[in-house]
Amino acid sequence: MFVTHGGLMGTTEAIHSGVPMVGIPLFGDQGVNIQSYVSEGFAIKLSFTNITKESVLHAIKSILFIPR
């Protein structure tokens, strides 16, 4: 699992390696990148403006343990 802001370089490496992602986009193309990965089923998106310990833990558990 890769926790990322959604930049193109790191996410391309994760996709190439088959690593699921938890994305927390901050600006620019990051939101669009993460949303497209969510649509494909290999990422979960968290909102930076209302992130909590619980939302991060839920996303991590979901991406690691719930089959997609």
Side-chain angles (χ1 to χ4, degrees), residues 24-43:
I24 309 167
L26 302 174
F27 62 94
D29 66 335
Q30 298 165 357
V32 174
N33 294 343
I34 292 296
Q35 190 57 51
S36 68
Y37 308 148
V38 169
S39 297
E40 293 294 326
F42 50 85

Side-chain angles (χ1 to χ4, degrees), residues 41-67:
F42 50 85
I44 292 176
K45 181 179 178 181
L46 294 177
S47 173
F48 178 75
T49 57
N50 56 357
I51 195 168
T52 64
K53 178 175 121 178
E54 290 77 19
S55 66
V56 172
L57 289 174
H58 178 73
I60 290 171
K61 289 177 183 177
S62 296
I63 204 76
L64 290 177
F65 301 118
I66 297 175

Side-chain angles (χ1 to χ4, degrees), residues 7-35:
L8 191 57
M9 299 304 282
T11 57
T12 301
E13 290 181 36
I15 293 166
H16 178 75
S17 301
V19 175
M21 294 176 267
V22 172
I24 309 167
L26 302 174
F27 62 94
D29 66 335
Q30 298 165 357
V32 174
N33 294 343
I34 292 296
Q35 190 57 51

Side-chain angles (χ1 to χ4, degrees), residues 1-5 20-24 60:
M1 186 206 62
F2 178 40
V3 177
T4 178
H5 59 69
M21 294 176 267
V22 172
I24 309 167
I60 290 171

